[in-house]
Amino acid sequence: MIVIPLGLLCKFYQGWGHKWVNDYGAAIWYEIFWCLLFLYFFSTQKAIKVIPIVVFIITCLLEVLQLWHPPILVLIRSNLMGKLLLGTTFSWWDFPHYLVGSLLGWLWLKTIWQLTSPINYRKVI
């Protein structure tokens, strides 16, 4: 529940360094959000490794899709939710930030797995 507000705060932040925070800091939180959401539906140890890779690939494809402006995508991007989910402007600099977000997402997933795994629970007892 903390990731969505942090991502939105980054997107609308207006202080020092706002350009980086709005564009690239938000991209990092975007990746982490998708990693956590997919973990909710696919919570296996194998998924911990696969989810960040899939999220990275899909968000990179969405970034490239921003170069394409068919009427349906223009319509979707015309509202706030569409802008937040699909983006509006292609930037090569998004790719390294997607990678950082996916790596942080993987670390977060790995930590969740280690803290909630029944095997680890038995080791503590």
Side-chain angles (χ1 to χ4, degrees), residues 16-98:
W16 184 84
H18 68 90
K19 179 71 174 145
W20 183 89
V21 174
N22 293 161
D23 295 339
Y24 307 118
I28 292 170
W29 286 111
Y30 183 75
E31 295 291 303
I32 293 170
F33 164 77
W34 287 111
C35 287
L36 293 171
L37 183 66
F38 281 126
L39 179 66
Y40 180 78
F41 294 105
F42 307 102
S43 54
T44 66
Q45 192 166 10
K46 182 180 180 185
I48 302 296
K49 298 171 187 168
V50 174
I51 288 171
I53 295 167
V54 170
V55 167
F56 177 72
I57 291 169
I58 289 172
T59 51
C60 287
L61 290 173
L62 284 173
E63 186 67 25
V64 172
L65 192 62
Q66 292 174 25
L67 294 169
W68 193 37
H69 299 283
I72 187 69
L73 288 179
V74 171
L75 178 64
I76 293 169
R77 293 177 183 135
S78 68
N79 67 62
L80 180 62
M81 188 59 71
K83 289 177 186 176
L84 293 173
L85 291 175
L86 295 181
T88 58
T89 309
F90 176 83
S91 172
W92 285 107
W93 281 107
D94 279 336
F95 295 105
H97 294 88
Y98 291 157

